[in-house]
Amino acid sequence: MKLFFHGGGCGDVCCLRVQNLSVKIGSETILHDFNMHVHCGELVALIGPNGAGKSTFLKAVLGQVDYDGVIAFSSPGQRDRRPRIGYVPQSPTFDPGDPVSVADLFACCMSKRPAFLGLSKTMRKTVLECLSRVHGEDLIDKRVGTLSGGELQRVLLALALEPLPNILILDEPLSGVDVEGMGVLMDMLDEIRKTYDLSILMTTHDFSNLGRYADQVVLIDRTVLAQGKPDDVLSSEAFQKIFHRGGGK
Ligand code: ADP
Ligand code: MG
């Protein structure tokens, strides 16, 4: 595994560069000959059939799985430091009967004070500030298990934005979210990207929003099959083969 920081290649605008990446789990090769670039401030959508290796790729970028090849970061202004990565995992489930509130969830992640003692005034103010980034102040006292798919994604997004990352990674944030909620969430990601000047890398099965929001789409199936502007990738032969003639698995 080689992880390093680079200051050249594609200039200061390239924030994540992946070269000849491969991931093996046991004897199975999950990813091979994987190359891609994410430029600073871009929203990049990773698409592909189930089992294509999308989540595995995100885990490699997060350093959660071993890999061969190069994953290189470049963050303007903090050249020698690993960039901060915010991560929203794929569909975590919470028991509807669980008494844990949104405030408790933040307290567990952000404070050493035991959650059963309740939130200090200062911490409550901090949590409200975090939730305001996703226009979710009204969710603070709701139980996590009762949130709608879209509300839960906004809460997880608020958690991933504290502290503010350089790169935000989301694994299928639109799954379990209704059509209206998808638009709200994508508008919010677009706003967050511009407000905080960060790059977003997300996986999705929803292709309808790509043209409007994504700068780049990367189609993968164990390796990169197509990468470029949304329209180009969605009309590519590789896309047709996987999602139409091939049935999309
Ligand atoms: P996607 O997110 O595109 O649906 P994944 O990255 O979850 O795909 O999985 C890609 C392949 O890797 C699948 O065949 C899956 O079974 C396999 N895989 C993922 N994680 C593991 C693991 N921890 N152990 C064994 N196989 C795994
Ligand atoms: Mg996945």
Side-chain angles (χ1 to χ4, degrees):
M1 175 198 298
K2 259 191 208 162
L3 181 138
F4 65 86
F5 310 92
H6 70 97
C10 54
D12 280 340
V13 291
C14 178
C15 145
L16 169 65
R17 180 166 57 87
V18 178
Q19 253 178 332
N20 299 325
L21 179 82
S22 62
V23 175
K24 256 188 165 189
I25 299 182
S27 58
E28 194 183 352
T29 299
I30 311 291
L31 297 172
H32 64 90
D33 304 307
F34 198 108
N35 296 287
M36 72 176 279
H37 287 197
V38 175
H39 299 280
C40 288
E42 270 189 344
L43 190 151
V44 176
L46 200 61
I47 63 171
N50 289 328
K54 300 182 293 298
S55 297
T56 303
F57 171 67
L58 297 185
K59 285 179 190 159
V61 174
L62 289 160
Q64 291 179 355
V65 295
D66 285 337
Y67 58 84
D68 286 315
V70 172
I71 297 179
F73 299 100
S74 163
S75 318
Q78 43 179 44
R79 193 168 281 278
D80 298 325
R81 285 173 30 203
R82 195 180 201 283
R84 270 196 298 272
I85 302 180
Y87 176 50
V88 178
Q90 185 170 356
S91 311
T93 48
F94 294 90
D95 186 341
D98 198 321
V100 172
S101 70
V102 171
D104 296 333
L105 185 65
F106 272 84
C108 290
C109 297
M110 293 168 66
S111 164
K112 289 187 183 135
R113 182 181 156 111
F116 65 83
L117 290 179
L119 242 62
S120 68
K121 263 191 181 167
T122 320
M123 178 52 84
R124 190 173 172 88
K125 191 166 164 264
T126 307
V127 174
L128 282 170
E129 278 165 17
C130 291
L131 286 169
S132 74
R133 290 179 177 149
V134 298
H135 309 302
E137 296 97 318
D138 57 319
L139 301 175
I140 189 165
D141 293 316
K142 287 204 172 179
R143 281 188 287 134
V144 179
T146 63
L147 297 176
S148 72
E151 288 172 338
L152 178 59
Q153 282 299 327
R154 277 159 59 204
V155 167
L156 296 173
L157 180 56
L159 268 175
L161 291 173
E162 183 56 39
L164 278 172
N166 305 106
I167 303 174
L168 179 64
I169 289 181
L170 305 102
D171 201 354
E172 299 204 19
L174 303 177
S175 68
V177 178
D178 59 31
V179 174
E180 196 188 336
M182 283 183 187
V184 171
L185 200 59
M186 289 310 299
D187 277 339
M188 195 164 287
L189 287 175
D190 202 39
E191 180 189 322
I192 284 166
R193 171 168 70 120
K194 287 171 185 153
T195 307
Y196 302 111
D197 192 26
L198 43 85
S199 309
I200 296 180
L201 178 59
M202 62 179 277
T203 63
T204 182
H205 285 286
D206 173 61
F207 307 140
S208 62
N209 280 308
L210 295 180
R212 182 157 171 215
Y213 296 102
D215 297 296
Q216 234 198 115
V217 174
V218 184
L219 169 64
I220 76 162
D221 193 3
R222 304 294 177 119
T223 191
V224 175
L225 301 178
Q227 174 169 12
K229 297 265 173 235
D231 284 352
D232 293 340
V233 172
L234 298 182
S235 60
S236 68
E237 201 178 315
F239 180 89
Q240 295 296 324
K241 206 167 172 177
I242 285 184
F243 289 106
H244 295 294
R245 276 180 271 152
K249 288 187 199 170

